[in-house]
Amino acid sequence: MEGLILSPAKLATLFLFFSIHFTSSSATRFLSSNTNAQFVKASCSNTTYPQLCYESFARYASKIQSNPKMLAHVALDVTLSATKSASDLMRNLAKLHGLKAREVAAIADCVEVVGDAVDELERSIGEMGRARGSNSDPVINDIQTWVSAALTNDDTCMDGFAFAAYANDGEVKSTVTNKMTKVARLTSIALALINSFASSQGNSALIL
């Protein structure tokens, strides 16, 4: 069978066609990716910690797209992961020997309240799937209440290390404070994004 031979003109036409096709596809993907990232950035600008917000969630932009509910869900997932890590840290610190009495007491409180925060965030994530349409009001309000409670628990843990008597304490206080500061900020961001989603659904938002 005689092979198919294309003229230079036809080859040039085919090359141009595929070049336009792939360039167009690449441009579409780029524009979509850029739009998604801009949505995350714009949403984060309405939170108390916009830089941490964007740094934490920008990698999920393709999943979030321009969906405020998905952004709130991702924020809860990331916050839960950070809170679980903090809970593990508190349990490990509680096993250390040679701690001062006030450190032992403060860490014991943290084990309890950070554990509660994990439970509250897990409950919130479990309910996010039902937060839609006309039935979303009570669900959103429950989620706001639980995430707000988680934030209070984060602050309670840090308060145990905030008294003047701890001013000269070293590594334990620094470790707990650094860890819980980030957790509390992520929780605050998650609550703000949940409030934004609630507002987009016509619900009243819980004030931070």
Side-chain angles (χ1 to χ4, degrees):
M1 180 182 293
E2 186 177 351
L4 178 63
I5 300 176
L6 298 177
S7 67
K10 288 183 178 180
L11 285 172
T13 300
L14 284 173
F15 176 78
L16 180 61
F17 170 79
F18 285 113
S19 295
I20 293 173
H21 174 74
F22 287 116
T23 300
S24 176
S25 297
S26 298
T28 300
R29 287 194 297 270
F30 173 78
L31 290 174
S32 177
S33 175
N34 190 52
T35 299
N36 296 338
Q38 286 300 318
F39 171 75
V40 174
K41 188 172 185 178
S43 299
C44 285
S45 69
N46 296 319
T47 69
T48 308
Y49 309 101
Q51 183 174 348
L52 175 61
C53 177
Y54 185 71
E55 290 174 352
S56 300
F57 309 139
R59 72 189 71 176
Y60 304 103
S62 61
K63 177 180 179 180
I64 295 166
Q65 298 184 5
S66 297
N67 187 328
K69 179 179 179 180
M70 183 58 68
L71 176 56
H73 205 306
V74 166
L76 283 172
D77 286 339
V78 172
T79 302
L80 175 60
S81 178
T83 307
K84 283 183 173 179
S85 176
S87 181
D88 290 341
L89 172 65
M90 300 310 159
R91 287 195 295 268
N92 288 332
L93 288 175
K95 298 174 184 177
L96 293 178
H97 298 288
L99 295 175
K100 300 171 185 177
R102 58 178 179 257
E103 290 176 328
V104 172
I107 291 170
D109 288 341
C110 284
V111 169
E112 180 179 355
V113 297
V114 178
D116 289 343
V118 169
D119 292 340
E120 288 149 355
L121 292 171
E122 287 179 334
R123 197 179 310 167
S124 299
I125 290 171
E127 289 296 291
M128 276 300 292
R130 297 201 303 121
R132 62 169 66 91
S134 60
N135 296 321
S136 63
D137 282 3
V139 176
I140 284 291
N141 291 336
D142 283 343
I143 292 171
Q144 289 171 319
T145 298
W146 294 328
V147 178
S148 180
L151 181 57
T152 298
N153 283 324
D154 297 339
D155 291 337
T156 298
C157 173
M158 288 189 287
D159 287 345
F161 290 88
F163 296 109
Y166 290 82
N168 296 321
D169 288 347
E171 188 174 354
V172 172
K173 177 184 176 181
S174 176
T175 298
V176 171
T177 301
N178 290 340
K179 189 75 168 180
M180 291 309 302
T181 295
K182 183 174 182 180
V183 169
R185 289 178 178 180
L186 285 172
T187 307
S188 172
I189 291 167
L191 182 55
L193 295 174
I194 291 165
N195 286 345
S196 294
F197 169 60
S199 297
S200 74
Q201 300 298 303
N203 299 323
S204 60
L206 186 66
I207 298 175
L208 287 171

